[in-house]
């Protein structure tokens, strides 16, 4: 796990409840900006850039970009940026979009394995617990994969997209991931928000999350594609607001 100087995090707001928000494979924390603006001061935001993105730690190959390495970094962010009140139960929710869902699941597993307090809830958007059954990219050679990454970047209209080499190494490291056995062990409320027309993580993957998580709550955005944070911001904020009102 890199030292704190390798992490790239900003915090917004001073509300009692914190959201630690994890972006996708080709994005940066800017992906969450529209929703953060929509919710305003209702929550405190902790917004990290994953390794290989912006000023965060930069690896040199796929071994530096596994879900476990990403989870290590987010656990460090939580330890630094989320205070523990006298009750001993940190008041935060972990949110992930796209690959951020996979990272969030890995973070929960690491926190539990280390005996650290887990989040009060999870918010999982446009993701999949079984990346080996997605087709985000099809090419395997690095140069061809870079071209495919550039095309997807344009299709998703990503704000401040990630470095393409880091994306390629990330996909090479995570594309065979299968987290289905982890889901029944997640004993906190989980909001799943997903577009019915998601072209990258099909609707069936959202259903799998909802059916396998003990406390999963599934919300469909009818006709929504993969980029719901930017294309369906108001609806996403509405669903998050309703979910967070329980904490």
């Amino acid at each position: 796990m890199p030292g704190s100087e390798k992490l790239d995090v900003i915090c917004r707001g001073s509300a009692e409840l914190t959201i630690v928000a994890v972006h996708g494979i080709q994005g940066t924390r800017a992906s969450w900006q529209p929703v953060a603006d929509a919710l305003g001061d209702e929550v405190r935001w902790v917004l990290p850039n994953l390794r290989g993105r912006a000023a965060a730690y930069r690896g040199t190959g796929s071994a530096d970009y596994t879900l476990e390495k990403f989870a290590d970094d987010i656990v460090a962010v939580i330890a630094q940026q989320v205070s523990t009140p006298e009750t001993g139960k940190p008041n935060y929710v972990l949110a992930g979009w796209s690959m951020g869902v996979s990272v969030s699941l890995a973070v929960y597993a690491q926190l539990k394995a280390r005996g650290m307090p887990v989040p009060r809830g999870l918010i999982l958007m446009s993701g999949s617990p079984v990346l080996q059954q997605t087709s985000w990219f099809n090419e395997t050679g690095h140069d061809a994969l870079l071209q495919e990454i550039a095309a997807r970047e344009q299709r998703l209209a990503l704000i401040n997209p990630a470095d393409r080499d880091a994306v390629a190494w990330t996909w090479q490291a995570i594309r065979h991931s299968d987290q289905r056995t982890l889901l029944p062990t997640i004993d906190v409320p989980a909001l799943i928000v997903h577009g019915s027309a998601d072209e990258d993580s099909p609707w069936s993957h959202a259903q799998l999350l909802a059916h396998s998580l003990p406390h999963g709550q599934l919300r469909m955005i009818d006709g929504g594609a993969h980029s719901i944070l930017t294309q369906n911001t108001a609806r996403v904020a509405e669903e998050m607001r309703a979910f967070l009102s329980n904490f």
Side-chain angles (χ1 to χ4, degrees), residues 37 70 90 108 129 131 157 169 182 185 203 211 214-215:
D37 289 343
F70 287 128
Y108 185 95
L131 293 179
W169 287 326
L182 170 62
T185 72
W203 174 247
H211 293 157
H215 308 290

Side-chain angles (χ1 to χ4, degrees), residues 2 4-11 20-33 46-58 65 69-70 72-74 77 99 103 159-163:
S4 59
E5 72 279 1
K6 300 293 187 179
L7 301 173
D8 180 11
V9 189
I10 62 171
C11 301
V20 179
V22 187
H23 61 75
I25 188 170
Q26 285 186 263
T28 60
R29 61 170 162 252
S31 300
W32 281 96
Q33 193 69 42
V46 174
L47 298 164
N49 279 319
L50 292 174
R51 55 171 53 203
R53 283 79 179 164
Y57 169 83
R58 303 194 73 78
Y65 293 100
K69 294 288 179 67
F70 287 128
D72 276 343
D73 296 345
I74 299 302
V77 169
M99 185 188 74
V103 175
I159 305 170
N160 296 338
D163 173 81

